[in-house]
PDB file of all heavy atoms in Angstrom:
ATOM      1  N   SER R  45      70.464  65.314  91.825  1.00 98.00           N
ATOM      2  CA  SER R  45      70.113  63.953  91.589  1.00 98.00           C
ATOM      3  C   SER R  45      71.355  63.021  91.360  1.00 98.00           C
ATOM      4  O   SER R  45      71.339  61.884  91.740  1.00 98.00           O
ATOM      5  CB  SER R  45      69.323  63.908  90.229  1.00 98.00           C
ATOM      6  OG  SER R  45      68.052  64.417  90.529  1.00 98.00           O
ATOM      7  N   VAL R  46      72.448  63.602  90.757  1.00 98.00           N
ATOM      8  CA  VAL R  46      73.564  62.781  90.609  1.00 98.00           C
ATOM      9  C   VAL R  46      74.295  62.495  91.928  1.00 98.00           C
ATOM     10  O   VAL R  46      74.746  61.415  92.235  1.00 98.00           O
ATOM     11  CB  VAL R  46      74.577  63.428  89.533  1.00 98.00           C
ATOM     12  CG1 VAL R  46      75.959  62.593  89.575  1.00 98.00           C
ATOM     13  CG2 VAL R  46      73.915  63.445  88.212  1.00 98.00           C
ATOM     14  N   ALA R  47      74.299  63.458  92.891  1.00 98.00           N
ATOM     15  CA  ALA R  47      74.884  63.277  94.193  1.00 98.00           C
ATOM     16  C   ALA R  47      73.958  62.247  94.905  1.00 98.00           C
ATOM     17  O   ALA R  47      74.574  61.362  95.498  1.00 98.00           O
ATOM     18  CB  ALA R  47      74.799  64.588  94.905  1.00 98.00           C
ATOM     19  N   ALA R  48      72.688  62.243  94.694  1.00 98.00           N
ATOM     20  CA  ALA R  48      71.773  61.354  95.387  1.00 98.00           C
ATOM     21  C   ALA R  48      72.093  59.919  94.891  1.00 98.00           C
ATOM     22  O   ALA R  48      72.131  58.998  95.601  1.00 98.00           O
ATOM     23  CB  ALA R  48      70.316  61.652  95.089  1.00 98.00           C
ATOM     24  N   LYS R  49      72.317  59.761  93.641  1.00 98.00           N
ATOM     25  CA  LYS R  49      72.482  58.493  92.966  1.00 98.00           C
ATOM     26  C   LYS R  49      73.813  57.841  93.514  1.00 98.00           C
ATOM     27  O   LYS R  49      73.757  56.762  94.063  1.00 98.00           O
ATOM     28  CB  LYS R  49      72.643  58.672  91.379  1.00 98.00           C
ATOM     29  CG  LYS R  49      73.074  57.337  90.693  1.00 98.00           C
ATOM     30  CD  LYS R  49      73.370  57.650  89.215  1.00 98.00           C
ATOM     31  CE  LYS R  49      74.384  56.726  88.716  1.00 98.00           C
ATOM     32  NZ  LYS R  49      74.762  56.940  87.321  1.00 98.00           N
ATOM     33  N   TYR R  50      74.861  58.641  93.519  1.00 98.00           N
ATOM     34  CA  TYR R  50      76.153  58.020  93.952  1.00 98.00           C
ATOM     35  C   TYR R  50      76.154  57.734  95.509  1.00 98.00           C
ATOM     36  O   TYR R  50      76.660  56.782  95.898  1.00 98.00           O
ATOM     37  CB  TYR R  50      77.273  58.922  93.486  1.00 98.00           C
ATOM     38  CG  TYR R  50      77.600  58.658  92.109  1.00 98.00           C
ATOM     39  CD1 TYR R  50      77.137  59.378  91.021  1.00 98.00           C
ATOM     40  CD2 TYR R  50      78.490  57.580  91.668  1.00 98.00           C
ATOM     41  CE1 TYR R  50      77.349  59.157  89.720  1.00 98.00           C
ATOM     42  CE2 TYR R  50      78.701  57.344  90.379  1.00 98.00           C
ATOM     43  CZ  TYR R  50      78.170  58.062  89.381  1.00 98.00           C
ATOM     44  OH  TYR R  50      78.445  57.804  88.070  1.00 98.00           O
ATOM     45  N   ALA R  51      75.457  58.653  96.189  1.00 98.00           N
ATOM     46  CA  ALA R  51      75.441  58.438  97.694  1.00 98.00           C
ATOM     47  C   ALA R  51      74.575  57.186  98.001  1.00 98.00           C
ATOM     48  O   ALA R  51      74.916  56.437  98.790  1.00 98.00           O
ATOM     49  CB  ALA R  51      74.886  59.658  98.421  1.00 98.00           C
ATOM     50  N   ALA R  52      73.419  57.105  97.225  1.00 98.00           N
ATOM     51  CA  ALA R  52      72.625  55.854  97.519  1.00 98.00           C
ATOM     52  C   ALA R  52      73.277  54.621  97.064  1.00 98.00           C
ATOM     53  O   ALA R  52      73.110  53.600  97.711  1.00 98.00           O
ATOM     54  CB  ALA R  52      71.224  56.096  96.780  1.00 98.00           C
ATOM     55  N   GLU R  53      73.947  54.693  95.857  1.00 98.00           N
ATOM     56  CA  GLU R  53      74.724  53.502  95.454  1.00 98.00           C
ATOM     57  C   GLU R  53      75.747  53.070  96.572  1.00 98.00           C
ATOM     58  O   GLU R  53      76.198  51.880  96.609  1.00 98.00           O
ATOM     59  CB  GLU R  53      75.365  53.796  94.121  1.00 98.00           C
ATOM     60  CG  GLU R  53      74.383  53.615  92.953  1.00 98.00           C
ATOM     61  CD  GLU R  53      75.090  53.879  91.547  1.00 98.00           C
ATOM     62  OE1 GLU R  53      76.294  54.272  91.557  1.00 98.00           O
ATOM     63  OE2 GLU R  53      74.443  53.655  90.622  1.00 98.00           O
ATOM     64  N   GLY R  54      76.224  54.109  97.280  1.00 98.00           N
ATOM     65  CA  GLY R  54      77.197  53.758  98.281  1.00 98.00           C
ATOM     66  C   GLY R  54      76.579  53.277  99.567  1.00 98.00           C
ATOM     67  O   GLY R  54      77.205  53.001 100.582  1.00 98.00           O
ATOM     68  N   GLY R  55      75.225  53.024  99.528  1.00 98.00           N
ATOM     69  CA  GLY R  55      74.619  52.426 100.580  1.00 98.00           C
ATOM     70  C   GLY R  55      73.979  53.247 101.619  1.00 98.00           C
ATOM     71  O   GLY R  55      73.433  52.894 102.677  1.00 98.00           O
ATOM     72  N   LEU R  56      74.005  54.620 101.286  1.00 98.00           N
ATOM     73  CA  LEU R  56      73.445  55.606 102.231  1.00 98.00           C
ATOM     74  C   LEU R  56      71.978  55.796 102.110  1.00 98.00           C
ATOM     75  O   LEU R  56      71.344  55.713 100.964  1.00 98.00           O
ATOM     76  CB  LEU R  56      74.236  56.944 102.031  1.00 98.00           C
ATOM     77  CG  LEU R  56      75.733  56.887 102.157  1.00 98.00           C
ATOM     78  CD1 LEU R  56      76.322  58.243 102.206  1.00 98.00           C
ATOM     79  CD2 LEU R  56      76.218  56.065 103.433  1.00 98.00           C
ATOM     80  N   ASP R  57      71.360  56.201 103.160  1.00 98.00           N
ATOM     81  CA  ASP R  57      69.926  56.512 103.156  1.00 98.00           C
ATOM     82  C   ASP R  57      69.741  58.003 102.719  1.00 98.00           C
ATOM     83  O   ASP R  57      70.131  58.854 103.589  1.00 98.00           O
ATOM     84  CB  ASP R  57      69.379  56.314 104.529  1.00 98.00           C
ATOM     85  CG  ASP R  57      67.905  56.513 104.687  1.00 98.00           C
ATOM     86  OD1 ASP R  57      67.195  56.701 103.624  1.00 98.00           O
ATOM     87  OD2 ASP R  57      67.324  56.567 105.829  1.00 98.00           O
ATOM     88  N   VAL R  58      69.323  58.271 101.564  1.00 98.00           N
ATOM     89  CA  VAL R  58      69.386  59.580 100.983  1.00 98.00           C
ATOM     90  C   VAL R  58      67.937  60.044 100.700  1.00 98.00           C
ATOM     91  O   VAL R  58      67.068  59.425 100.233  1.00 98.00           O
ATOM     92  CB  VAL R  58      70.059  59.539  99.712  1.00 98.00           C
ATOM     93  CG1 VAL R  58      70.038  60.958  98.939  1.00 98.00           C
ATOM     94  CG2 VAL R  58      71.494  59.096  99.776  1.00 98.00           C
ATOM     95  N   VAL R  59      67.652  61.310 101.229  1.00 98.00           N
ATOM     96  CA  VAL R  59      66.410  61.991 100.868  1.00 98.00           C
ATOM     97  C   VAL R  59      66.779  63.176  99.952  1.00 98.00           C
ATOM     98  O   VAL R  59      67.567  64.065 100.274  1.00 98.00           O
ATOM     99  CB  VAL R  59      65.581  62.459 102.045  1.00 98.00           C
ATOM    100  CG1 VAL R  59      64.394  63.198 101.690  1.00 98.00           C
ATOM    101  CG2 VAL R  59      65.221  61.172 102.974  1.00 98.00           C
ATOM    102  N   LEU R  60      66.075  63.206  98.773  1.00 98.00           N
ATOM    103  CA  LEU R  60      66.347  64.278  97.788  1.00 98.00           C
ATOM    104  C   LEU R  60      65.055  65.252  97.757  1.00 98.00           C
ATOM    105  O   LEU R  60      63.983  64.752  97.496  1.00 98.00           O
ATOM    106  CB  LEU R  60      66.589  63.697  96.427  1.00 98.00           C
ATOM    107  CG  LEU R  60      66.758  64.573  95.178  1.00 98.00           C
ATOM    108  CD1 LEU R  60      67.977  65.495  95.391  1.00 98.00           C
ATOM    109  CD2 LEU R  60      67.003  63.650  93.958  1.00 98.00           C
ATOM    110  N   LEU R  61      65.246  66.502  98.145  1.00 98.00           N
ATOM    111  CA  LEU R  61      64.115  67.439  98.147  1.00 98.00           C
ATOM    112  C   LEU R  61      64.009  68.297  96.926  1.00 98.00           C
ATOM    113  O   LEU R  61      65.050  68.816  96.383  1.00 98.00           O
ATOM    114  CB  LEU R  61      64.262  68.351  99.423  1.00 98.00           C
ATOM    115  CG  LEU R  61      64.572  67.746 100.726  1.00 98.00           C
ATOM    116  CD1 LEU R  61      64.608  68.886 101.775  1.00 98.00           C
ATOM    117  CD2 LEU R  61      63.587  66.704 101.083  1.00 98.00           C
ATOM    118  N   GLU R  62      62.860  68.372  96.360  1.00 98.00           N
ATOM    119  CA  GLU R  62      62.633  69.383  95.250  1.00 98.00           C
ATOM    120  C   GLU R  62      61.459  70.317  95.686  1.00 98.00           C
ATOM    121  O   GLU R  62      60.343  69.766  95.937  1.00 98.00           O
ATOM    122  CB  GLU R  62      62.296  68.526  93.978  1.00 98.00           C
ATOM    123  CG  GLU R  62      61.869  69.425  92.876  1.00 98.00           C
ATOM    124  CD  GLU R  62      62.854  70.588  92.492  1.00 98.00           C
ATOM    125  OE1 GLU R  62      64.029  70.389  92.359  1.00 98.00           O
ATOM    126  OE2 GLU R  62      62.370  71.754  92.489  1.00 98.00           O
ATOM    127  N   LYS R  63      61.657  71.571  95.643  1.00 97.00           N
ATOM    128  CA  LYS R  63      60.587  72.498  96.017  1.00 97.00           C
ATOM    129  C   LYS R  63      59.389  72.539  95.057  1.00 97.00           C
ATOM    130  O   LYS R  63      58.266  72.871  95.407  1.00 97.00           O
ATOM    131  CB  LYS R  63      61.121  73.878  96.348  1.00 97.00           C
ATOM    132  CG  LYS R  63      61.624  74.619  95.178  1.00 97.00           C
ATOM    133  CD  LYS R  63      62.115  75.951  95.484  1.00 97.00           C
ATOM    134  CE  LYS R  63      62.659  76.789  94.374  1.00 97.00           C
ATOM    135  NZ  LYS R  63      63.070  78.190  94.671  1.00 97.00           N
ATOM    136  N   ARG R  64      59.755  72.238  93.808  1.00 96.00           N
ATOM    137  CA  ARG R  64      58.721  72.429  92.737  1.00 96.00           C
ATOM    138  C   ARG R  64      57.878  71.138  92.674  1.00 96.00           C
ATOM    139  O   ARG R  64      58.173  70.112  93.260  1.00 96.00           O
ATOM    140  CB  ARG R  64      59.383  72.643  91.425  1.00 96.00           C
ATOM    141  CG  ARG R  64      60.280  73.983  91.491  1.00 96.00           C
ATOM    142  CD  ARG R  64      60.468  74.413  90.064  1.00 96.00           C
ATOM    143  NE  ARG R  64      61.251  75.698  90.062  1.00 96.00           N
ATOM    144  CZ  ARG R  64      62.504  75.793  89.877  1.00 96.00           C
ATOM    145  NH1 ARG R  64      63.205  74.790  89.479  1.00 96.00           N
ATOM    146  NH2 ARG R  64      63.103  77.016  89.907  1.00 96.00           N
ATOM    147  N   ALA R  65      56.824  71.234  91.890  1.00 96.00           N
ATOM    148  CA  ALA R  65      55.860  70.169  91.740  1.00 96.00           C
ATOM    149  C   ALA R  65      56.254  69.243  90.580  1.00 96.00           C
ATOM    150  O   ALA R  65      55.653  68.149  90.413  1.00 96.00           O
ATOM    151  CB  ALA R  65      54.431  70.731  91.459  1.00 96.00           C
ATOM    152  N   GLU R  66      57.367  69.621  89.917  1.00 97.00           N
ATOM    153  CA  GLU R  66      57.778  68.715  88.796  1.00 97.00           C
ATOM    154  C   GLU R  66      59.321  68.832  88.699  1.00 97.00           C
ATOM    155  O   GLU R  66      59.843  70.031  88.766  1.00 97.00           O
ATOM    156  CB  GLU R  66      57.213  69.196  87.457  1.00 97.00           C
ATOM    157  CG  GLU R  66      57.588  68.316  86.278  1.00 97.00           C
ATOM    158  CD  GLU R  66      56.931  68.824  85.011  1.00 97.00           C
ATOM    159  OE1 GLU R  66      56.006  69.671  84.995  1.00 97.00           O
ATOM    160  OE2 GLU R  66      57.444  68.346  83.920  1.00 97.00           O
ATOM    161  N   ILE R  67      60.040  67.763  88.628  1.00 98.00           N
ATOM    162  CA  ILE R  67      61.457  67.778  88.391  1.00 98.00           C
ATOM    163  C   ILE R  67      61.743  68.324  86.937  1.00 98.00           C
ATOM    164  O   ILE R  67      61.231  67.774  85.979  1.00 98.00           O
ATOM    165  CB  ILE R  67      62.085  66.394  88.683  1.00 98.00           C
ATOM    166  CG1 ILE R  67      62.054  66.231  90.163  1.00 98.00           C
ATOM    167  CG2 ILE R  67      63.560  66.343  88.120  1.00 98.00           C
ATOM    168  CD1 ILE R  67      62.454  64.862  90.611  1.00 98.00           C
TER     169      ILE R  67
END
Side-chain angles (χ1 to χ4, degrees):
Chain R
S45 284
V46 175
K49 173 188 150 181
Y50 281 92
E53 278 180 357
L56 305 188
D57 181 12
V58 177
V59 176
L60 176 59
L61 309 181
E62 173 52 54
K63 69 178 178 180
R64 301 203 175 101
E66 181 180 348
I67 286 173

